[in-house]
Amino acid sequence: MKLCVALDMASKDENLALVRQLAGLDVWLKVGLRSYLRDGASFINELKNLGEFKIFLDLKIYDIPNTMADACEVIAKLNVDMINLHASAGARAISEVMKRLNALPKRPLVLGVSALTSFSDDEFYQIYNDNIANGVKKMSEICFKSGLDGMVCSVFESKMIKQASSENFITLTPGIRPFGEADADQKRVANLEVAKEAKSDFIVVGRPIYQAQDPREIVSKILSKL
């Protein structure tokens, strides 16, 4: 299991200061929509210059097939290590993205986004006319058959996804509160023990790290538990 640190702070300088504190630790960095829109592609290069970090660019691409493929090809050329797209885009769009990326000399890992961890079951049903478990299973089967490397999901769907696809199909689980911290705007959250039992390959932790008095100490503590 790998730790992905979410760089979701209010400014680029705050995010860079956090990353400097984590130099030398075996972590991935997650760059989300706000940070990327604000700080641009140059931010990716700045992060790479701060250490041997792997980078997950979390933009959740969702559009018509050709537009998604164009966008993912551009993103892949930033030399990030992992990207994601919405599974709701369907098999044709996902297959088009992978066809384009597989033609590159090097491509990032590509994950499908299933049900956002902020969704309750009722909210998911309003949009997808299904419960979360069934909906995520269907999406993961489509993503697996369409050539993706794994799924973004809550810990509560991780085992089910692997059973419906392959033990090697990656699950990346946001909404991790390592030591029982507050849920905030997430609904389906879990601690480290639950994530380990669910066979998560990557866990994403944000606020419990960057709101701590000593982020490096918290990260080291998390790594010691993995």
Side-chain angles (χ1 to χ4, degrees), residues 77-91:
K77 291 176 181 177
L78 297 175
N79 292 319
V80 294
D81 302 283
M82 185 158 58
I83 66 174
N84 58 0
L85 48 85
H86 269 285
S88 303

Side-chain angles (χ1 to χ4, degrees), residues 26-59:
D26 182 18
V27 298
W28 285 56
L29 305 176
K30 183 181 85 72
V31 177
L33 189 59
R34 176 171 73 160
S35 292
Y36 189 74
L37 289 176
R38 181 187 62 216
D39 305 324
S42 62
F43 181 53
I44 303 297
N45 291 327
E46 288 184 74
L47 293 175
K48 286 181 173 290
N49 289 333
L50 291 178
E52 298 295 319
F53 297 107
K54 290 187 179 293
I55 297 173
F56 167 34
L57 186 53
D58 177 21
L59 300 184

Side-chain angles (χ1 to χ4, degrees), residues 49-218:
N49 289 333
L50 291 178
E52 298 295 319
F53 297 107
K54 290 187 179 293
I55 297 173
F56 167 34
L57 186 53
D58 177 21
L59 300 184
K60 303 180 180 72
I61 302 301
Y62 191 4
D63 213 304
I64 62 173
N66 190 61
T67 301
M68 285 181 67
D70 287 343
C72 288
E73 187 172 4
V74 170
I75 293 168
K77 291 176 181 177
L78 297 175
N79 292 319
V80 294
D81 302 283
M82 185 158 58
I83 66 174
N84 58 0
L85 48 85
H86 269 285
S88 303
R92 185 158 58 92
I94 295 168
S95 297
E96 182 63 29
V97 167
M98 296 313 294
K99 177 182 176 184
R100 193 81 66 85
L101 294 185
N102 285 328
L104 299 175
K106 180 186 176 185
R107 71 162 177 87
L109 294 171
V110 189
L111 307 184
V113 178
S114 54
L116 300 174
T117 52
S118 59
F119 268 133
S120 67
D121 213 55
D122 287 343
E123 289 169 330
F124 186 85
Y125 190 89
Q126 288 174 7
I127 296 172
Y128 296 101
N129 200 35
D130 205 346
N131 63 49
I132 289 176
N134 286 338
V136 170
K137 185 171 185 249
K138 290 175 188 174
M139 289 185 204
S140 64
E141 288 169 343
I142 289 169
C143 290
F144 180 65
K145 291 174 183 175
S146 301
L148 290 192
D149 299 298
M151 299 294 291
V152 180
C153 61
S154 86
V155 291
F156 305 108
E157 294 99 45
S158 177
K159 272 188 177 178
M160 175 189 66
I161 286 171
K162 289 180 180 288
Q163 289 166 358
S165 55
S166 163
E167 285 293 315
N168 296 322
F169 199 49
I170 293 167
T171 55
L172 179 144
T173 57
I176 301 301
R177 299 294 182 259
F179 309 111
E181 296 87 350
D183 296 353
D185 58 344
Q186 305 278 24
K187 293 282 175 63
R188 291 165 14 257
V189 303
N191 62 25
L192 291 178
E193 294 306 316
V194 174
K196 286 165 73 173
E197 198 275 332
K199 299 183 178 180
S200 298
D201 297 290
F202 290 85
I203 58 169
V204 180
V205 184
R207 278 167 284 212
I209 291 172
Y210 62 72
Q211 290 180 350
Q213 285 192 329
D214 187 343
R216 186 180 180 92
E217 180 183 3
I218 294 297

